[in-house]
Amino acid sequence: MGRTRWARFAGVLGIGAVGAGALLFGMSQGALAASFAVSGTNFKVSADNLTGQGFVQFGGVDAGAGKVHVVAVSGFKTARLDKFCQSVFVPGMPIVGDVTMRITADSVGGMSADNLVVNLTDLNGDLVLGNPEIGIDANKVTKGPDNLRGLPGSFGLQADTANITSLQQTAWATTAQTIRFKGMNLTIRQGKQECF
């Protein structure tokens, strides 16, 4: 019986991995849209510290599972996260019930990425921006990942650097040209065991 449960769960994860692969390919080809379809499940990320170079942010929309989600699109040319944790909570899975998948990289610089884009709904932490431009036209931002722009006339901000300590965020999607993990650990557990 246990093998059947995990086989079904692995199938669900496999479908998600294919979707993530397609998004990563689109990013590598410079074809990332500010609005795209997402799953019906958001996820949480925490880190002791995020150090980013080339930061932009503006409003956007994600659509998925019959719902539209208004998001803040945050982009970094490069980003490094210390003591990284990402969790996805999936309630009411057939047969197994509530399940949490967690990816952790506990070292300093445990997760790093190039051309990182996060579509988030909540962000908590202490933020320091280096050389910020706040209120710039979102379609005129230039400091973040290539080709990442918002709608003309909408509110945007950008900065040379962004540092966030005690990071806690809830997001619907993450894409990047490259993501690297040091000492990654992936766990799948029954119940609710999120990063925060």
Side-chain angles (χ1 to χ4, degrees):
M1 185 65 106
R3 276 179 276 179
T4 302
R5 291 175 182 172
W6 292 114
R8 288 186 184 189
F9 186 71
V12 172
L13 289 181
I15 292 168
V18 170
L23 287 174
L24 292 175
F25 177 78
M27 182 67 179
S28 70
Q29 301 301 308
L32 178 71
S35 175
F36 53 89
V38 296
S39 73
T41 303
N42 60 16
F43 57 92
K44 293 183 176 181
V45 171
S46 66
D48 281 4
N49 188 60
L50 180 153
T51 303
Q53 303 289 324
F55 172 67
V56 299
Q57 188 175 77
F58 50 83
V61 175
D62 276 346
K67 295 182 180 179
V68 174
H69 309 283
V70 178
V71 296
V73 179
S74 297
F76 301 86
K77 275 195 174 290
T78 63
R80 188 188 80 171
L81 289 87
D82 302 333
K83 296 194 175 180
F84 172 86
C85 176
Q86 175 177 302
S87 61
V88 180
F89 174 63
V90 184
M93 288 282 293
I95 301 174
V96 297
D98 295 349
V99 174
T100 304
M101 180 178 72
R102 284 172 58 119
I103 297 174
T104 58
D106 286 336
S107 61
V108 172
M111 184 273 214
S112 60
D114 301 321
N115 292 321
L116 176 69
V117 180
V118 181
N119 290 6
L120 58 91
T121 55
D122 294 282
L123 174 65
N124 293 297
D126 298 323
L127 171 66
V128 177
L129 297 175
N131 195 25
E133 298 175 61
I134 300 172
I136 188 172
D137 187 317
N139 192 244
K140 303 295 184 184
V141 295
T142 58
K143 295 185 177 182
D146 293 341
N147 303 318
L148 182 64
R149 308 278 188 277
L151 292 174
S154 63
F155 181 92
L157 68 87
Q158 63 180 359
D160 290 343
T161 61
N163 294 289
I164 306 172
T165 56
S166 303
L167 169 73
Q168 293 183 340
Q169 73 179 24
T170 303
W172 286 98
T174 296
T175 63
Q177 184 177 20
T178 306
I179 293 178
R180 294 169 292 273
F181 294 104
K182 289 198 311 188
M184 185 191 82
N185 181 44
L186 185 150
T187 59
I188 299 171
R189 299 285 185 268
Q190 287 187 286
K192 191 170 187 177
Q193 301 183 41
E194 296 176 289
C195 295
F196 62 90

